[in-house]
Amino acid sequence: MFISFYIIGLIILLTEIIIGMFGNGFIAVLYCIDWVKSRKLFSCDMILTCLAMSRILLQGIFTADLFIHIFAPGTFHLNQVQISLSFLWFFANTVGLWFTACLGIFYCLKITICNQPLFLRMKQTISVMVPKLLLWSLLVSFVSSIPLIWGEYSFYLCTSTGDLFSNSTVEDKTWDVSYFYFNLLYGAASFIPLIIFLTTSILLISSLWRHTRNMQHNTTSFWDPSTEAHVSAIKALISCLILYIFYFVAVTVLTLPTCLTDSTWTPTITSMVLAAYPSGHSLILILINPKLKQALVRILQIIKCHLKG
């Protein structure tokens, strides 16, 4: 039964990775082509391009981890392999979360209706701020990943000769930068961008509520361009938040000591959840973004014509 589940899980995982690579690659390539053609890239497009590239790196790490487990499982226990994968994963994960926070800030400043002087000033300068925010995101993510270089990793964090909660002998093998410190570092690196992300989402939702209330009082059309912009931005942010919550839970479960989790089913399930986050959100971004959606439809029509020919 487990072998069948493992094969099904592996197929689902590979499908998620392929879809994610295609979705994020599509976003990055499309905006890079626009950049080459027009010699400029709009702030939102710049954020989406960086976000797509960070997720391509994240899914590349998933792929490398998967292939090592299948084709060279012995090398996975090597400390240098663990350090390299952990550093790259932590960097890609953290920078992706910071880029998502930047997207939330951009949507909030551009779409939210507010007459506060400071907010209006930030609204006017956000296009200039975006490249700086992206560079700071890269720098902060890289610096926060550096402690993982000095880690001494053990694949099994603890082993037991009997029942864990009885008087049996339990041998603890912890990381030098231990699993506790890893979780502490991961939580600290994720906390600030996550709070920014939540704050911008709440501001957008409250702005939409005020806007729709004004539309009702003015007896005008409920669905106007401002409402559409609010709804699209909220869809992008809330879908990312929901997927990230599942992703965060999967990371937490995966970093628990192996004697506290099921080593048979847990890795397969958590791997599928981890791969769903960058893949699912890229598809949502394509479907709610008119430019990306139209480009995808054109490509699919071209492919369809070639297949008919």
Side-chain angles (χ1 to χ4, degrees), residues 106-113 119 123 204 207 226 229-230 233:
F106 180 83
Y107 280 152
C108 182
L109 291 176
K110 280 293 184 181
I111 299 172
T112 301
I113 301 170
F119 187 89
K123 194 183 187 80
L204 273 169
S207 176
S226 179
H230 273 87

Side-chain angles (χ1 to χ4, degrees), residues 10-141:
L10 186 60
I11 293 170
I12 294 173
L13 181 59
L14 287 171
T15 304
E16 288 176 333
I17 291 173
I18 291 169
I19 292 173
M21 285 290 192
F22 170 78
N24 289 298
F26 172 76
I27 294 171
V29 169
L30 182 68
Y31 285 131
C32 285
I33 290 172
D34 284 351
W35 183 30
V36 171
K37 286 182 178 179
S38 61
R39 299 294 180 183
K40 65 178 181 179
L41 200 61
F42 293 109
S43 298
C44 183
D45 300 346
M46 192 182 300
I47 297 172
L48 291 175
T49 304
C50 292
L51 184 59
M53 288 180 174
S54 71
R55 287 174 174 171
I56 290 171
L57 175 60
L58 188 62
Q59 288 173 313
I61 297 164
F62 289 156
T63 307
D65 183 82
L66 181 64
F67 274 83
I68 289 172
H69 269 97
I70 295 174
F71 298 109
T75 60
F76 193 80
H77 300 270
L78 297 176
N79 196 53
Q80 290 302 320
V81 174
Q82 288 282 344
I83 288 174
S84 300
L85 287 175
S86 298
F87 175 83
L88 289 173
W89 174 84
F90 196 94
F91 171 74
N93 179 78
T94 307
V95 78
L97 191 55
W98 273 106
F99 287 158
T100 307
C102 291
L103 185 66
I105 292 171
F106 180 83
Y107 280 152
C108 182
L109 291 176
K110 280 293 184 181
I111 299 172
T112 301
I113 301 170
C114 181
N115 294 322
Q116 292 293 331
L118 179 61
F119 187 89
L120 292 174
R121 190 177 304 169
M122 292 175 65
K123 194 183 187 80
Q124 293 171 351
T125 59
I126 183 61
S127 297
V128 180
M129 289 167 55
V130 164
K132 296 177 183 178
L133 288 173
L134 296 175
L135 286 174
W136 272 107
S137 299
L138 282 168
L139 181 61
V140 170
S141 301

